[in-house]
Amino acid sequence: MQRALHPVNAKLDEHLPADHKLSKVYRVGAGLTGLLLVVFGILGLIDEIGFFDTGGDTVLALNTNGALSVLSICIGGLLFVGMVIGGTFASTLNIVLGVAFILSGFVNLALLDTGFNFLAFEIQNVLFSFVVGVMLMWFGMYGRVGSALPHDNPYWRARHPEQAAREQQQVVRSARS
């Protein structure tokens, strides 16, 4: 029964050693995406666009207004925090924000031609949301999920503790020989 309720021994928040090479991927993904969002937000604020203006003002080929600019800066700042902390936190943050960007794309797609489109989204913003969401999810899941993770991967080891222990014992035995 326990195996049916918890088919995998690892949780999404398993600890990743701070110096592990996967942390660099999570940090780079969070940092680059955060930088892109902060630049977009700052350029939108520099143009002094109204906070909820839906007049079609563009920055970097994307429609924007003050609210979207401030939101972009906040999300970019959050990604910078993930970049600084690194490890599993950055990975999980990338995954969660990636899903949020994809959901935002769908919600804003539904709101495109309505009065509820207070972030002034256009179709290019929706597509950008989807692309950034998939990119963040890829950065967050890299080396964390998959069918062919190497056996030295900490996530593989957490999901296969018995086999990892056997392999570790074999390494110790061969080192002694």
Side-chain angles (χ1 to χ4, degrees), residues 46-61:
I46 288 173
D47 281 352
E48 297 181 12
I49 302 166
F51 201 71
F52 290 113
D53 183 25
T54 57
D57 297 304
T58 60
V59 171
L60 300 175

Side-chain angles (χ1 to χ4, degrees), residues 144-160:
R144 195 166 180 171
V145 296
S147 62
L149 295 176
H151 291 206
D152 66 340
N153 182 298
Y155 298 108
W156 183 90
R157 296 177 72 72
R159 293 180 188 121
H160 305 91

